[in-house]
Amino acid sequence: DSQPVLSEIDFGVWNYRDGDRYAMLRDGKWKIALFRDQQNPQRFAPDDGLMLFDLKTDAEERNNLAHHPDFTAQRDQLLKKLDAIR
């Protein structure tokens, strides 16, 4: 098993969401990404920009599974990992 990979960016593009941090975690075949603020968790909705991908079956990240009921467990597990390492 490989270690999860965390990436964050300042999403500000053309004055859109300038200063907002977008976080991504890849763990095995799963990738989750969303806006997160560790210092002020209430700043963003819990699913702001939320995306979840199964990279084994969807390497091009075209099918967002974040709100699909069959993938709730994967989503919640990845969110816990993301928050634990940030």
Side-chain angles (χ1 to χ4, degrees), residues 17-59:
R17 298 196 74 139
D18 199 25
D20 287 353
R21 303 295 289 173
Y22 197 70
M24 180 278 301
L25 181 75
R26 180 174 177 174
D27 190 17
K29 72 175 191 167
W30 294 102
K31 177 179 176 181
I32 195 162
L34 74 163
F35 287 97
R36 253 332 194 231
D37 186 337
Q38 288 300 100
Q39 279 67 46
N40 184 7
Q42 303 304 316
R43 183 168 170 231
F44 301 124
D47 63 348
D48 192 351
L50 182 62
M51 294 188 292
L52 174 69
F53 300 104
D54 178 342
L55 298 175
K56 186 173 182 180
T57 62
D58 183 21

